[in-house]
Amino acid sequence: MILAPSILSADFTRLGEEIEMLNRSEADWIHIDVMDGVFVPNITIGVPVVKALNPLAEKPLDVHLMIVEPEKYIDQFADAGADHLLIHYEVSIHLNRTLAEIRAKGMKAGIVLNPHTNVPLLENVLEYADIVLLMSVNPGFGGQKFIENSYRKIEELVAMKQRLNPNLLIEVDGGVTLDNAPLLVSAGADVLVVGNSIFSADNVPARIVEFKRIE
Ligand code: DX5
Ligand code: ZN
């Protein structure tokens, strides 16, 4: 399983040290939540912070855009050092084109589905994506409660992946804990994003090891 700690729950007064801690940890990717206060009711961080963290980070930057008109910012996030750019289905009018533009910039292209957005909608676009991120909370905040129907969505996506894009990575984001992580992995999740359940630990690297032990 690929583990992607979400720095939304990290200490923003010492983000550089948090990145260095993640470099030394067993974490695989670093998940960065970009919010615009329009698509979601919260504002977080953007291009300048990704740019500042990129030279420090020794692991891929998995950038989750919770913004409207994501296609306008592809070049900026590529130049800032994003390795994966994940955009929401709900705000993408020309998804094939936008995914192609993300790939052309050398990044992995990801589609994100809100909890209410149905997996079968991906039928005609799945082969153009590297990652599908299933939101298991309504995006906007860390520390929310996991929405239980996410397991069913993972299973639906596994079936579609086998048919259309066997190399696709299925990522799950929101409310992931040590309790539900084993169930998510056995349902077919390849990547788990974890914010609060990692950064609330007294010993964060040890908590990361606990997640990584899950098979
Ligand atoms: C929520 C973000 C998540 C968030 C997850 O909108 O997309 O990445 O940081 O945090 P937890 O694991 O605390 O739900
Ligand atoms: Zn996220």
Side-chain angles (χ1 to χ4, degrees):
M1 174 256 284
I2 294 170
L3 185 64
S6 164
I7 61 163
L8 184 60
S9 296
D11 181 350
F12 278 18
T13 65
R14 32 182 293 281
L15 265 187
E17 288 164 52
E18 298 276 57
I19 296 296
E20 279 157 8
M21 176 274 295
L22 292 175
N23 286 341
R24 294 189 301 269
S25 80
E26 288 189 23
D28 299 289
W29 298 351
I30 297 172
H31 185 84
I32 302 182
D33 289 301
V34 175
M35 304 187 191
D36 66 354
V38 179
F39 179 62
V40 289
N42 194 10
I43 300 174
T44 53
I45 57 183
V47 172
V49 176
V50 175
K51 193 172 182 175
L53 298 180
N54 180 45
L56 301 177
E58 292 166 7
K59 307 199 172 180
L61 297 180
D62 187 53
V63 178
H64 175 191
L65 298 186
M66 283 157 276
I67 65 175
V68 298
E69 301 185 309
E71 62 281 353
K72 285 188 180 170
Y73 302 95
I74 295 170
D75 289 359
Q76 288 185 49
F77 279 103
D79 294 345
D83 295 286
H84 313 156
L85 204 59
L86 310 171
I87 57 168
H88 271 260
Y89 180 92
E90 299 82 8
V91 287
S92 299
I93 302 169
H94 303 291
L95 195 47
N96 297 61
R97 178 190 292 157
T98 307
L99 294 170
E101 285 173 1
I102 293 171
R103 282 178 161 180
K105 277 286 178 175
M107 299 180 283
K108 285 194 192 301
I111 308 169
V112 191
L113 300 189
N114 271 339
H116 71 272
T117 304
N118 296 325
V119 169
L121 290 168
L122 296 173
E123 180 78 26
N124 292 309
V125 76
L126 202 71
E127 62 203 280
Y128 306 107
D130 302 297
I131 301 168
V132 169
L133 172 55
L134 298 176
M135 288 308 302
S136 41
V137 298
N138 285 290
F141 304 94
Q144 301 184 82
K145 190 175 175 300
F146 181 83
I147 296 175
E148 293 293 326
N149 79 355
S150 308
Y151 298 111
R152 195 174 67 223
K153 292 181 74 178
I154 296 169
E155 285 160 10
E156 277 181 282
L157 186 54
V158 167
M160 195 185 276
K161 158 180 163 164
Q162 284 161 354
R163 202 159 42 82
L164 298 172
N165 184 354
N167 295 324
L168 183 86
L169 291 174
I170 300 177
E171 185 169 357
V172 177
D173 183 7
V176 177
T177 64
L178 281 170
D179 290 331
N180 60 25
L183 298 168
L184 293 166
V185 172
S186 53
D190 303 299
V191 186
L192 298 182
V193 176
V194 187
N196 190 56
S197 293
I198 282 179
F199 285 96
S200 66
D202 292 332
N203 183 336
V204 169
R207 178 61 58 84
I208 288 172
V209 170
E210 283 184 87
F211 272 100
K212 283 295 291 180
R213 279 206 198 108
I214 295 165
E215 285 304 332

